[in-house]
Amino acid sequence: MPSACDPLIEDIEDMVSSSDPTPHERQSARKSIIPRARKKKELLSNEELQTDSLIPGTQKIWMKTWGCSHNNSDGEYMAGQLAASGYKMTDDPTEADVWLLNSCTVKNPAEDHFRNSIKKAQEQQKKVVVAGCVPQAQPRMDYLKSLSIIGVQQIDRVVEVVDETVKGHSVRLLGQKKDGGKRLGGARLDLPKIRKNPLIEIISINTGCLNACTYCKTKHARGDLASYPIEELVERARQSFQEGVCEIWLTSEDTGAYGKDIGTDLPTLLWRLVEEIPEGAMLRLGMTNPPYILEHLEEMAKILNHPRVFAFLHVPVQSASDSVLMDMKREYCVDDFKRVVDFLKERVPGVTIATDIICGFPGETEDDFQETVKLVKHYQFPSLFINQFYPRPGTPAAKMEQVPAHVKKQRTKELSKVFHSYNPYDHKVGERQHVLVTEESFDAQYYVAHNKFYEQVLVPKRLEFKGKMIEVDIYEAGKHFMKGKPVEDSEPFTPSIAAPLQKGEVSGLMQEHVVNGVRGAASAPPDSALLIGCYSLDRDALKRLGIGLALAAAILAFIVEKLY
């Protein structure tokens, strides 16, 4: 039995022994108690009433996310639940009480940044909660000892974890979500979230993958493929558009493998989703590996030609050497990749194909590398992610004979030089294009828009353009962008079917007026009020009143029934 000062109590019932009085005995003893009036102590003029600073839900939280769009979506969900529970999300790490660090395990530098952030938080005496792929894959790392951890499939319990961390406890939730023994895709899609960009919704359509790449650490964290049902994904998209979103990104570790575990496939999902996309709004597909996209080339070409789908696909090749691909266990050859690219370029005129290259994989010879250089020169990919190989602990590739560090660095530099030797957008100067404006440039001088091919177009920073589809004339082209001048007498088109949420506002709370009268959204389904009730009502107050969440939900259901 733990000591009374031990913060790690498995179960409150463990503190009760057989020698303790029973509830009946305690109730009987109360009858002989005679209350005495206590003399009221007058407060001194210089005394102040102090509030308990450890009441969960009153703290400020700063969150940092590294990695892919799937990780960013997880971060948005965690921020939304915390804000809906009463915590205040802040952009200033110095004023935060808790740091929530959402990690990426793809490359060593990302994990180094994550580890350094933990150290910095501890130096500043901040409470720390870690999430993402690093702690999920390696929870026993020395620098993670005593820290609270949220597993990648447990993000729906972030409030519990932060609550306990605020109290000084260490909590670790790393389990897999299952239904009848079958692994689920992860946390529910209808949870509250705070979108980093209120105009863009990131939807993870599945988690995990079917591959076993020898260099990949993400597989250790995300596991095998688990897809969300089509209806849940369609409903999430529908809700997003009702909240003013005009662009949806589909994400996962491998979107092409979607549905193989639940008897469906990616094209079936995409055709359902395009039915929900308002005119002028756009859908962007996430990364897909060659083996699975090969099965659906005809349908994918049709979908990419759809006016409300970006003609863009991210297909990683990693190497143009079949021997290297075999050592990577990529389950395709370079001809398979070429077939995908050639087919889509023929059937989807102007399509943008983005790809990834790993330089210096174990066993890569100079001839192997030169095959990759030839591939890049031939296709001149407008978007190319060049990565120097980093051996990740626990992966088979980490045990292989490594290419010398200086050789990896030299090859990375050489391939980067090839990439920067061509300008993919020069021939587009003078074109007239329709672009969707959704972001602000890093230097804050322009708005960032994307055309049908998801090519970046910088436009004047005029407030009336944000979230609109506008027509522009391309007058300048750089390596990674074009610049567009708005066409005179061309009216911006509004694709959103509702006003977008404000930055930092919580998604999924469209019925908030039921609780606190802030937002009005009479068209929202009554179910959303129940969601609000579970997250917006003060949980400690409910406990003090003896009201459980089930009863609170019933009360809210009654209110909604009367309102509707």
Side-chain angles (χ1 to χ4, degrees):
M1 179 171 149
S3 65
C5 62
D6 192 339
L8 294 172
I9 299 172
E10 295 294 333
D11 194 316
I12 194 68
E13 293 178 0
D14 294 341
M15 298 182 66
V16 181
S17 69
S18 58
S19 61
D20 291 330
T22 65
H24 178 72
E25 291 170 338
R26 284 196 296 268
Q27 187 63 29
S28 298
R30 291 172 63 90
K31 296 176 182 179
S32 60
I33 295 175
I34 302 174
R36 290 187 303 172
R38 178 178 295 177
K39 187 177 181 181
K40 187 180 294 185
K41 180 181 178 182
E42 293 183 4
L43 286 173
L44 298 176
S45 59
N46 62 345
E47 284 185 332
E48 294 181 1
L49 289 172
Q50 299 294 320
T51 58
D52 186 351
S53 61
L54 294 181
I55 296 176
T58 64
Q59 291 74 23
K60 292 182 179 179
I61 299 177
W62 176 70
M63 185 171 69
K64 171 72 174 176
T65 294
W66 292 266
C68 64
S69 53
H70 193 165
N71 241 29
N72 277 277
S73 177
D74 286 352
E76 291 180 347
Y77 275 122
M78 288 190 284
Q81 292 170 85
L82 290 166
S85 183
Y87 289 100
K88 179 176 175 55
M89 305 304 296
T90 178
D91 293 328
D92 184 355
T94 62
E95 73 171 16
D97 304 291
V98 181
W99 284 19
L100 173 53
L101 304 174
N102 189 20
S103 64
C104 172
T105 192
V106 170
K107 292 187 281 189
N108 289 22
E111 183 172 347
D112 290 342
H113 287 304
F114 172 62
R115 183 169 55 247
N116 291 337
S117 294
I118 292 174
K119 183 179 179 181
K120 188 174 181 179
Q122 292 170 332
E123 289 173 349
Q124 297 182 27
Q125 297 184 322
K126 307 290 186 182
K127 302 284 188 182
V128 181
V129 176
V130 295
C133 293
V134 171
Q136 180 73 54
Q138 299 173 281
R140 293 182 178 85
M141 293 292 286
D142 285 343
Y143 68 90
L144 298 177
K145 285 182 178 177
S146 78
L147 297 181
S148 289
I149 295 176
I150 304 167
V152 294
Q153 287 208 322
Q154 300 290 336
I155 61 171
D156 55 340
R157 300 181 67 184
V158 63
V159 175
E160 298 173 52
V161 175
V162 172
D163 281 356
E164 293 303 314
T165 303
V166 166
K167 296 173 186 176
H169 302 162
S170 177
V171 182
R172 296 189 166 204
L173 299 179
L174 295 163
Q176 301 291 326
K177 291 193 179 298
K178 295 182 179 180
D179 182 13
K182 180 177 172 57
R183 185 170 179 269
L184 299 177
R188 300 196 328 266
L189 294 173
D190 60 353
L191 295 170
K193 74 176 343 185
I194 295 178
R195 297 186 183 94
K196 185 177 180 181
N197 184 336
L199 298 173
I200 298 175
E201 166 72 3
I202 306 173
I203 303 178
S204 55
I205 63 175
N206 55 265
T207 187
C209 68
L210 295 172
N211 297 341
C213 300
T214 56
Y215 57 84
C216 183
K217 190 71 177 176
T218 305
K219 176 80 172 189
H220 294 189
R222 298 282 183 179
D224 293 325
L225 179 71
S227 304
Y228 286 97
I230 287 179
E231 290 304 322
E232 291 183 20
L233 295 166
V234 171
E235 180 55 37
R236 182 68 203 180
R238 188 180 295 126
Q239 177 193 326
S240 301
F241 290 126
Q242 290 172 350
E243 293 177 334
V245 162
C246 61
E247 188 170 298
I248 283 185
W249 298 355
L250 300 186
T251 184
S252 76
E253 283 63 60
D254 188 349
T255 57
Y258 171 80
K260 285 186 170 293
D261 57 322
I262 57 173
T264 186
D265 55 38
L266 181 61
T268 301
L269 168 65
L270 295 176
W271 285 123
R272 287 291 309 278
L273 285 173
V274 295
E275 295 174 3
E276 302 294 331
I277 303 174
E279 184 181 353
M282 298 295 288
L283 173 70
R284 192 194 82 174
L285 276 66
M287 186 274 288
T288 178
N289 284 310
Y292 308 111
I293 201 67
L294 276 168
E295 302 176 24
H296 308 300
L297 282 178
E298 289 278 358
E299 285 299 296
M300 291 304 299
K302 294 176 185 177
I303 290 166
L304 292 175
N305 277 312
H306 193 284
R308 294 192 288 277
V309 179
F310 286 117
F312 167 90
L313 200 61
H314 180 190
V315 188
V317 64
Q318 306 300 8
S319 173
S321 164
D322 285 344
S323 63
V324 173
L325 291 175
M326 186 176 297
D327 288 341
M328 290 179 173
K329 287 193 175 180
R330 289 292 286 168
E331 300 184 3
Y332 61 86
C333 62
V334 70
D335 283 343
D336 291 333
F337 174 79
K338 290 178 178 178
R339 182 183 163 203
V340 171
V341 177
D342 293 341
F343 185 94
L344 292 178
K345 280 183 170 289
E346 179 185 349
R347 302 295 181 91
V348 189
V351 66
T352 295
I353 302 293
T355 196
D356 298 357
I357 303 286
I358 295 176
C359 293
F361 186 81
E364 181 187 65
T365 65
E366 184 61 27
D367 287 343
D368 293 330
F369 174 68
Q370 289 305 321
E371 288 298 316
T372 300
V373 171
K374 290 177 186 176
L375 184 80
V376 173
K377 286 181 177 179
H378 175 71
Y379 286 109
Q380 296 195 347
F381 302 103
S383 183
L384 179 63
F385 304 95
I386 302 171
N387 303 290
Q388 180 177 316
F389 175 74
Y390 290 97
R392 301 298 291 131
T395 62
K399 301 175 183 177
M400 298 177 181
E401 185 176 351
Q402 303 296 306
V403 172
H406 73 278
V407 175
K408 291 191 290 186
K409 187 175 181 179
Q410 180 270 327
R411 289 176 182 173
T412 304
K413 186 176 180 180
E414 181 180 340
L415 193 61
S416 297
K417 186 176 180 181
V418 172
F419 173 61
H420 287 282
S421 69
Y422 56 86
N423 293 313
Y425 306 130
D426 283 354
H427 67 286
K428 299 204 172 190
V429 173
E431 287 187 1
R432 180 164 290 187
Q433 301 178 353
H434 285 90
V435 298
L436 181 59
V437 184
T438 54
E439 303 172 65
E440 184 177 88
S441 62
F442 286 116
D443 62 6
Q445 300 300 306
Y446 299 91
Y447 277 154
V448 177
H450 292 91
N451 60 19
K452 162 68 177 172
F453 310 106
Y454 203 69
E455 296 163 336
Q456 186 170 269
V457 180
L458 303 180
V459 301
K461 192 176 177 182
R462 286 159 50 180
L463 192 59
E464 65 269 25
F465 290 163
K466 195 72 176 289
K468 307 290 196 303
M469 181 76 76
I470 65 173
E471 194 173 18
V472 298
D473 288 324
I474 304 299
Y475 67 89
E476 184 181 329
K479 176 62 181 174
H480 302 286
F481 65 89
M482 292 170 274
K483 289 184 180 179
K485 179 182 179 182
V487 175
E488 291 185 14
D489 302 325
S490 177
E491 289 292 326
F493 179 79
T494 304
S496 302
I497 61 175
L501 302 179
Q502 297 298 310
K503 188 172 180 61
E505 192 170 359
V506 182
S507 161
L509 307 188
M510 297 182 69
Q511 280 288 349
E512 194 165 2
H513 70 279
V514 173
V515 175
N516 57 23
V518 174
R519 285 181 64 85
S523 61
D527 304 29
S528 59
L530 300 183
L531 182 64
I532 270 293
C534 294
Y535 283 97
S536 292
L537 290 178
D538 186 295
R539 290 163 295 135
D540 291 322
L542 291 176
K543 290 176 184 177
R544 287 193 296 270
L545 293 170
I547 299 175
L549 284 178
L551 179 56
I555 294 170
L556 284 165
F558 175 79
I559 296 172
V560 171
E561 183 181 353
K562 294 300 181 183
L563 286 173
Y564 287 86

